[in-house]
Amino acid sequence: MAYGFPYQQPPVPGYFNTNYMPQMQQQVQQIPQIAQQPASTLQIVPDELTALNAQFPMDGSPVYFANANGQEIYSKQLSMANGSVIFRKFKRAEEQKPESPNYVTHEELEAKVGELYQLIGSVTAPGGESK
């Protein structure tokens, strides 16, 4: 106890402390690591109840389920804001089949082209003679 101070004094280089070696601070450069989330996979389930009861990761990443007939997709994830479970249900929209194109026969095409040349005039018709 030096000079009435009850706490131990840190070692100080000097005459009485010849073995003092200052500690070298190691400077380790910390690189922030980005947590990579695993790729979400689509799991096939027989019905919605199975998707509701399925387990999901606690890191907030969504898990996707599709029912067996492929008409519905379910998404389940943990809300990081309040800890509740977010369950979403998506239905596949019915695809509109394009109408089949109407085909024209060669005779119908020639008849329409003939009508067109009659309307325009005989001057522009193929094989027409100009005066």
Side-chain angles (χ1 to χ4, degrees), residues 73-86:
I73 294 179
Y74 312 107
S75 168
K76 188 173 182 180
Q77 73 184 73
L78 179 69
S79 171
M80 299 306 283
N82 58 7
S84 63
V85 176
I86 301 170

Side-chain angles (χ1 to χ4, degrees), residues 39-112:
S40 298
T41 58
L42 183 67
Q43 300 176 10
I44 306 298
V45 293
D47 57 358
E48 184 177 352
L49 184 61
T50 307
L52 279 169
N53 293 330
Q55 293 182 352
F56 57 95
M58 293 295 166
D59 62 353
S61 61
V63 176
Y64 298 101
F65 304 96
N67 70 356
N69 63 6
Q71 294 297 319
E72 296 173 344
I73 294 179
Y74 312 107
S75 168
K76 188 173 182 180
Q77 73 184 73
L78 179 69
S79 171
M80 299 306 283
N82 58 7
S84 63
V85 176
I86 301 170
F87 187 79
R88 294 186 181 117
K89 180 179 177 180
F90 305 97
K91 288 192 172 224
R92 178 182 289 184
E94 294 295 325
E95 295 179 14
Q96 299 293 331
K97 294 184 180 179
E99 295 180 13
S100 61
N102 296 330
Y103 293 102
V104 179
T105 62
H106 186 65
E107 292 80 21
E108 292 173 345
L109 179 64
E110 289 296 322
K112 291 294 181 182

